[in-house]
Amino acid sequence: MSGIERVSATTRPDRPARRSGTCGARAVAIVKLFRNLLRLDDADRRPDVQRGDIANWSASAMSKLTADTETFYLKPGMTLSTGVNYEIDDAFTVLWRRFVGQPWTKENLVEDATTAAEAAELEREGRRLTPLMKPGDVLQYGLLPQELDPNNSGMSLGRFRPLITIFALLEQPGPSDLILPLEVSDRLWLPDRGSLLTGGTFHDARLLTRRPAHLVMKVGRDAPVQGPFGSIDIASPVVTVSGFIGTAHGLTAQPLIPGTRYHVVVRASDAQGSWQNLHYEITTKRRKVEVQFDRLVVHDDSDSIGIEDTGEARFWFKVHNGPEVKEFHLGEIEIDDSNDPSNSKKIFDLNFKHTIGPEALNGEGKGVGVSTEGREYDRFEVLFTLFYSTDDAHYWHPGRPDLKTKYINFPTGLQEEVPFQSEGMTAGPTDGELHYAVVWHWSVTYE
């Protein structure tokens, strides 16, 4: 089970503190996949495109962007600036800046350079001082490839790699009712599902504020710590989500680990710098996975010695759940790679099924995958003596022969559940010529 187990709201009491920064269709699918596998051979192998794969520009993996202080607290009328540090791994990358609600502008990274060498260095790495910020200001910095302009219509903040947001807030107490009570949001906005929804890999919060505000949600395993002026913060969040200015807010934190307890801190702040914290705990739903091996298709029986030109083989099919392995065995059978329609030794129904869970992963990532191995036996007699030879095969990950397990790439977020997904994998020879394919499917639900 999952749900909200404790909810508390904290505002800013007026007390001194040290200032610091806070950081039918199923059958059709099988038939289509099955037909494709009948046409597979070694030349057809190509890298897998897994669910959720995204082609990002090269700077996304290596470029860094950090602020000395992401949230600071000021008295009314005060202004302050902070430092922004950048490391850019791609020469065709631009640093952009904006006050939220205003257009984006490019940062001139080399304006203070006095030599060409210094300019080249500043294009790769450096430090910028932010404009002066007053209470209520929200400042953002982000890196983009040079061909993109964030001021264009339809440009998503998700294109930035990375993006940081800096807040200037008030020290002194302000109105303590910025975030409407959850029961009000439940009644006015989402009476069917409620304001807070937790799945196996996500937490979705739909909140209302009395006036336009900017919301930030942090999710982490550890309890929040006390910050300056009565604020609270999660020091090491696993997910941080920043929303848009408005009165109706939707924040989705993902990916989270199934069956795991988390703390959630939401902070709302308005244009005057007033702010309010909301803290509660959630437990994500447990994961249930079903895997079934459906068909085996022989492409090459690796037998050119036998009189009938058929092979004898055994096959193993495994489901991997972290260190745990469930194995199925197809005993010695005759196989034949002939495409003759009357051939009954080319395609075999398996119907090997394994269910995992529902289980709680308790904060530990645990991959689920499948693998297969086959062994073909040749028997031949010389001078009344019976000899055996064997040919082995196993699943080869495209482009990575050292990987012998094909892992499921589970989706995350509101569409995390998959009722049925057909898959296929081919097994090539480690020696000899044995080559076959396996049709299998999987599903995942959370409860």
Side-chain angles (χ1 to χ4, degrees):
M1 300 294 294
S2 75
I4 304 306
E5 293 158 8
R6 181 163 61 85
V7 177
S8 62
T10 60
T11 56
R12 310 177 313 284
D14 186 12
R15 62 179 179 81
R18 177 175 59 86
R19 180 179 300 169
S20 65
T22 60
C23 319
R26 178 177 303 186
V28 172
I30 287 183
V31 169
K32 289 181 178 178
L33 182 61
F34 179 56
R35 287 174 176 171
N36 288 335
L37 285 171
L38 283 173
R39 295 192 293 266
L40 282 177
D41 57 27
D42 290 328
D44 292 322
R45 300 181 190 178
R46 55 192 184 277
D48 289 341
V49 178
Q50 297 288 349
R51 178 191 301 269
D53 280 355
I54 300 175
N56 288 324
W57 51 285
S58 60
S60 65
M62 301 298 295
S63 295
K64 298 179 182 178
L65 196 58
T66 60
D68 294 344
T69 303
E70 291 189 358
T71 302
F72 48 86
Y73 300 85
L74 304 172
K75 289 178 170 42
M78 287 184 60
T79 59
L80 195 66
S81 63
T82 188
V84 172
N85 309 286
Y86 63 90
E87 295 180 26
I88 299 176
D89 191 57
D90 191 306
F92 303 102
T93 300
V94 175
L95 178 62
W96 293 84
R97 168 179 60 83
R98 74 162 179 178
F99 282 98
V100 172
Q102 299 180 14
W104 289 92
T105 59
K106 291 182 181 180
E107 286 283 278
N108 183 357
L109 302 181
V110 300
E111 60 185 348
D112 297 326
T114 57
T115 66
E118 187 177 357
E121 177 63 24
L122 287 173
E123 287 181 337
R124 295 190 301 269
E125 181 178 357
R127 173 183 170 83
R128 306 288 295 175
L129 193 64
T130 69
L132 290 173
M133 299 179 66
K134 66 182 186 301
D137 283 342
V138 181
L139 184 62
Q140 291 181 318
Y141 285 81
L143 291 173
L144 277 178
Q146 65 179 9
E147 65 269 17
L148 297 180
D149 185 341
N151 294 306
N152 289 340
S153 176
M155 179 69 182
S156 168
L157 292 181
R159 302 295 296 272
F160 285 98
R161 293 289 195 275
L163 174 76
I164 60 171
T165 305
I166 304 169
F167 293 85
L169 304 177
L170 281 170
E171 290 180 359
Q172 300 302 318
S176 60
D177 59 352
L178 182 53
I179 302 175
L180 287 173
L182 296 180
E183 54 269 23
V184 176
S185 298
D186 290 344
R187 185 176 66 254
L188 296 180
W189 193 6
L190 297 164
D192 294 333
R193 52 148 272 184
S195 300
L196 306 177
L197 178 65
T198 302
T201 64
F202 73 92
H203 173 65
D204 185 67
R206 305 294 176 93
L207 302 173
L208 297 175
T209 53
R210 295 185 184 276
R211 51 193 175 275
H214 197 124
L215 266 62
V216 176
M217 179 168 66
K218 292 186 178 182
V219 181
R221 298 293 309 282
D222 298 328
V225 296
Q226 194 73 32
F229 307 103
S231 64
I232 57 175
D233 189 29
I234 293 179
S236 300
V238 296
V239 180
T240 300
V241 184
S242 181
F244 298 93
I245 294 177
T247 56
H249 309 270
L251 301 172
T252 303
Q254 66 181 60
L256 303 179
I257 298 177
T260 302
R261 191 180 186 86
Y262 291 98
H263 289 268
V264 181
V265 170
V266 179
R267 187 190 67 209
S269 59
D270 63 16
Q272 289 71 46
S274 299
W275 53 271
Q276 181 183 359
N277 281 336
L278 178 68
H279 169 227
Y280 53 92
E281 297 176 37
I282 62 171
T283 299
T284 50
K285 293 180 179 181
R286 299 174 300 164
R287 184 178 70 187
K288 181 180 179 181
V289 181
E290 293 186 353
V291 176
Q292 179 168 319
F293 297 99
D294 298 307
R295 302 277 194 279
L296 181 148
V297 183
V298 178
H299 292 311
D300 192 324
D301 59 24
S302 189
D303 193 297
S304 57
I305 298 177
I307 296 176
E308 298 180 358
D309 196 24
T310 60
E312 298 78 30
R314 294 179 179 177
F315 299 93
W316 293 264
F317 309 89
K318 298 178 182 179
V319 180
H320 303 261
N321 180 33
E324 305 163 9
V325 178
K326 172 65 176 179
E327 181 176 289
F328 300 95
H329 180 219
L330 184 61
E332 187 168 324
I333 57 173
E334 287 191 355
I335 59 175
D336 187 351
D337 56 19
S338 168
N339 290 320
D340 189 317
S342 64
N343 180 14
S344 62
K345 300 174 183 179
K346 180 180 180 67
I347 302 169
F348 299 87
D349 291 331
L350 300 176
N351 297 319
F352 294 145
K353 181 178 181 180
H354 181 54
T355 300
I356 302 170
E359 65 175 351
L361 303 189
N362 296 318
E364 299 295 329
K366 198 174 184 183
V368 176
V370 296
S371 64
T372 181
E373 299 176 30
R375 171 166 290 185
E376 189 270 342
Y377 301 82
D378 284 321
R379 297 180 176 88
F380 54 96
E381 188 175 329
V382 178
L383 297 177
F384 307 103
T385 302
L386 192 62
F387 292 88
Y388 293 87
S389 69
T390 61
D391 290 341
D392 295 331
H394 64 71
Y395 165 72
W396 296 84
H397 190 285
R400 289 289 304 276
D402 55 312
L403 298 181
K404 300 179 182 179
T405 302
K406 182 171 185 176
Y407 284 95
I408 298 173
N409 193 357
F410 295 111
T412 63
L414 294 168
Q415 306 299 320
E416 65 185 2
E417 293 197 340
V418 179
F420 182 85
Q421 178 65 44
S422 293
E423 302 276 1
M425 60 179 176
T426 58
T430 53
D431 57 58
E433 298 176 343
L434 180 61
H435 180 200
Y436 63 97
V438 177
V439 181
W440 60 287
H441 72 266
W442 58 272
S443 66
V444 62
T445 56
Y446 298 90
E447 58 187 59

